[in-house]
Amino acid sequence: MDTQVFTFIMIILPIYLVSLLLYLIRAFKGPTISDSVLSIDAFSFAAIAVMGILSLFFKSLVLVSIAILLSVWTYALDVFVSKYLEKKEMGE
């Protein structure tokens, strides 16, 4: 692997791991459902970025396909939660 790519990965990966930890803390401490959902979304997208970085590092296409599935799951979560919150606000 090229040394510049390896150096880039070793600098960026810890930053993403710290952000993942902070997103998890916010998901569990979030005072409202919206805060928790937003932090789970941010966690999912940061995890997708980490998977993309690791797929470059390991030269594995499996991680890319898992990242795509995770992004679809995150989108579905957003749709379901927004429908739930909309019905809850309307009183149905």
Side-chain angles (χ1 to χ4, degrees):
M1 178 178 286
D2 193 36
T3 58
Q4 292 175 342
V5 174
F6 182 75
T7 305
F8 175 75
I9 290 172
M10 289 302 129
I11 291 171
I12 295 297
L13 198 59
I15 295 170
Y16 273 110
L17 294 178
V18 169
S19 70
L20 288 173
L21 179 67
L22 292 173
Y23 291 142
L24 279 179
I25 290 170
R26 184 40 130 185
F28 290 117
K29 286 183 75 175
T32 64
I33 294 174
S34 300
D35 290 332
S36 296
V37 169
L38 182 62
S39 65
I40 290 170
D41 283 344
F43 176 85
S44 298
F45 290 124
I48 290 167
V50 168
M51 285 182 195
I53 292 168
L54 289 176
S55 70
L56 288 174
F57 184 72
F58 292 120
K59 296 180 183 172
S60 170
L61 292 177
V62 174
L63 289 173
V64 174
S65 62
I66 293 171
I68 291 170
L69 288 174
L70 181 61
S71 66
V72 170
W73 177 80
T74 303
Y75 176 73
L77 173 75
D78 289 342
V79 170
F80 292 138
V81 170
S82 64
K83 293 266 187 191
Y84 169 75
L85 291 176
E86 184 180 84
K87 285 184 181 181
K88 186 176 177 184
E89 288 178 2
M90 295 174 76
E92 294 179 4

